[in-house]
C-alpha cells in the first residue's frame, strides 16, 4: 500500500463503492502460473483449481484467484494467482474488504502493451491489452536483450499480435544510470 499511496496501511480509510471494498494484492506477495485444463464450464474450472491449489503453489494455506485466459475446443488455459491467506487475516480487521484481486489483473489497455517497472532490485515486465493480463516475467537487475526477446516470443505465442507500446517506470531518479 505504501508503494501506491505514500501512506502507511494504518492511515488508509476504506472507500465504499456500490458496497464493494476491493483489496489489491501486490505483485511481491503473489505466485502466478498458467495451467491447461480440459474444456469445462467456468464453475468446473473453479472447482478443479480449488482441488489442486495446494499442490500447485508452495504455500501453507493458499488463497487464490483464477481467470480463464483462453478457451479452445480441446483445452482451457487458466491464469492462477495465489498468496498466503494468513497474511490477510489481520488486515481484514482494519480494512474489511469484500474482494481480493491480484495487482496484475488490474493492468488493462486499449492495445497490446508491455509495462516495465522496478521494485528495489526486481524488474518486472507485464504484458496487457484490452482483455487485461497476458503475461509477466520478473528477474533481478535490469532488462537484458535476451530476456526481453524471450518475453516477446512468449507474448506472441499467446496473442499473435504485435506489441504497440512499452511503458517504462523507474523506481527513482538515482536508477537512471543503471539501465
Amino acid at each position: 500500500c505504501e508503494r501506491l499511496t505514500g501512506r502507511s496501511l494504518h492511515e488508509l480509510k476504506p472507500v465504499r463503492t456500490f458496497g464493494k471494498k476491493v483489496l489489491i494484492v501486490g505483485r511481491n506477495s503473489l505466485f502466478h502460473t498458467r495451467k491447461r485444463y480440459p474444456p469445462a464450464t467456468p464453475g468446473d474450472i473453479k472447482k478443479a483449481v480449488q482441488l489442486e491449489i495446494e499442490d500447485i503453489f508452495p504455500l501453507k494455506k493458499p488463497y487464490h484467484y483464477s481467470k480463464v485466459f483462453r478457451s479452445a475446443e480441446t483445452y482451457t488455459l487458466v491464469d492462477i494467482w495465489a498468496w498466503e491467506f494468513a497474511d490477510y487475516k489481520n488486515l481484514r480487521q482494519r480494512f474489511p474488504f469484500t474482494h481480493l484481486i491480484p495487482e496484475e489483473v488490474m493492468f488493462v489497455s486499449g492495445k497490446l502493451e508491455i509495462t516495465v517497472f522496478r521494485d528495489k532490485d526486481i524488474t518486472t515486465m507485464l504484458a496487457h491489452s484490452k482483455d487485461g493480463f497476458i503475461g509477466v516475467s520478473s528477474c533481478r537487475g535490469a532488462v537484458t536483450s535476451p530476456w526481453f526477446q524471450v518475453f516477446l516470443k512468449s507474448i506472441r505465442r499467446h496473442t499473435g499480435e504485435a506489441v504497440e507500446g512499452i511503458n517504462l517506470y523507474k523506481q527513482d531518479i538515482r536508477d537512471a544510470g543503471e539501465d
Side-chain angles (χ1 to χ4, degrees):
C1 287
E2 288 181 57
R3 185 175 74 192
L4 297 175
T5 65
R7 295 183 286 163
S8 75
L9 181 62
H10 304 307
E11 297 176 77
L12 295 178
K13 301 284 187 235
V15 177
R16 293 185 185 267
T17 306
F18 306 111
K20 295 180 181 178
K21 291 181 266 179
V22 178
L23 177 65
I24 298 171
V25 182
R27 168 125 180 82
N28 57 349
S29 300
L30 295 170
F31 288 89
H32 170 263
T33 192
R34 181 168 285 152
K35 192 163 171 32
R36 184 183 297 250
Y37 287 93
T41 66
D44 288 342
I45 293 289
K46 187 175 181 177
K47 288 176 189 174
V49 170
Q50 183 65 42
L51 285 173
E52 61 183 10
I53 193 70
E54 291 179 1
D55 296 329
I56 297 172
F57 298 106
L59 299 167
K60 289 181 184 176
K61 187 177 179 188
Y63 190 85
H64 71 280
Y65 178 92
S66 59
K67 180 180 174 187
V68 172
F69 177 72
R70 176 181 299 129
S71 291
E73 195 173 300
T74 57
Y75 66 89
T76 302
L77 285 179
V78 179
D79 283 311
I80 305 167
W81 291 269
W83 55 92
E84 194 63 63
F85 188 71
D87 297 342
Y88 295 92
K89 283 185 181 177
N90 293 333
L91 182 56
R92 185 170 239 156
Q93 292 172 352
R94 289 198 171 275
F95 181 77
F97 52 86
T98 58
H99 297 78
L100 285 170
I101 299 175
E103 179 180 14
E104 296 168 350
V105 175
M106 303 305 294
F107 283 79
V108 178
S109 61
K111 57 188 177 186
L112 177 56
E113 296 180 329
I114 295 176
T115 297
V116 181
F117 55 92
R118 284 182 87 169
D119 187 10
K120 296 182 178 115
D121 65 337
I122 304 294
T123 302
T124 301
M125 291 189 297
L126 193 141
H128 48 94
S129 69
K130 66 182 180 338
D131 297 322
F133 175 82
I134 295 173
V136 67
S137 181
S138 295
C139 78
R140 290 196 185 278
V143 175
T144 63
S145 180
W147 177 38
F148 189 73
Q149 289 173 3
V150 168
F151 186 65
L152 275 178
K153 282 183 183 179
S154 71
I155 298 308
R156 285 188 196 124
R157 180 171 39 114
H158 289 298
T159 66
E161 300 176 45
V163 173
E164 294 184 47
I166 298 177
N167 307 306
L168 300 173
Y169 296 96
K170 291 210 174 277
Q171 180 183 0
D172 74 37
I173 197 71
R174 290 173 291 184
D175 290 341
E178 295 178 16
D179 294 334

